[in-house]
Amino acid sequence: MPDTIANTLVLHRGRKIERVRRLRGWTQSDLGDRMNITKQAVSKLEQSENISDEKLKDVAVALGVTFEGLRDFSEEKVLYNTNNFYENSGVSATNIAANIETINNPLKETIEMFERQLEVVRKELINILKNK
């Protein structure tokens, strides 16, 4: 990526808001509700390259992050901090995968139970249709 494009992305405050909002898993409507503005106003805000510090502070509060964190946000920093956190925490991908399997296990069992019940109903329905 050319430096001019990279610098524009780093300095574009609206894109930072959008990235943090998406990282939180929020829609524009979600952020708008927290700021008492419309989804369209959030969209316009996210398209704005220059946003005042006061407005950015309001957005940071709504997003639940610090003003400095939002102002200085970059995806590179997020990746760097995430990698360092996991490298220094003793958490491995294997541990994470094991925890996900544990979390998903009840869901898997529930799905299997419904599939068994569905199979029983299917067989009953086939028997009823055969007998007609």
Side-chain angles (χ1 to χ4, degrees):
M1 179 181 315
D3 286 340
T4 54
I5 295 173
N7 287 338
T8 301
L9 291 174
V10 170
L11 299 175
H12 196 290
R13 288 185 162 188
R15 288 202 184 107
K16 291 179 183 197
I17 293 168
E18 178 186 11
R19 298 282 198 263
V20 173
R21 175 183 60 77
R22 287 178 183 258
L23 285 170
R24 305 276 285 151
W26 294 355
T27 63
Q28 288 180 336
S29 296
D30 293 333
L31 180 57
D33 291 345
R34 286 170 174 80
M35 296 183 67
N36 294 319
I37 61 175
T38 65
K39 172 185 173 183
Q40 291 78 8
V42 172
S43 176
K44 185 175 181 180
L45 189 65
E46 290 178 351
Q47 293 172 23
S48 302
E49 184 173 346
N50 297 315
I51 298 170
S52 71
D53 284 352
E54 282 305 310
K55 187 66 169 177
L56 199 63
K57 286 177 185 176
D58 293 341
V59 176
V61 168
L63 286 169
V65 298
T66 65
F67 164 72
E68 294 80 11
L70 183 57
R71 180 193 64 205
D72 301 335
F73 174 83
S74 76
E75 291 182 13
E76 291 79 18
K77 286 181 184 178
V78 171
L79 292 173
Y80 175 79
N81 290 334
T82 302
N83 286 337
N84 283 337
F85 172 78
Y86 283 114
E87 287 173 8
N88 297 323
S89 69
V91 175
S92 68
T94 306
N95 293 345
I96 294 169
N99 287 337
I100 290 171
E101 182 62 32
T102 302
I103 292 167
N104 288 334
N105 197 25
L107 180 59
K108 183 179 176 185
E109 290 173 3
T110 303
I111 291 170
E112 288 172 354
M113 179 192 68
F114 280 119
E115 286 174 343
R116 286 190 302 271
Q117 289 176 344
L118 182 61
E119 187 60 32
V120 169
V121 171
R122 231 185 245 137
K123 287 179 181 177
E124 289 175 359
L125 184 58
I126 290 171
N127 286 336
I128 290 171
L129 291 174
K130 282 182 181 178
N131 292 333
K132 283 191 172 185

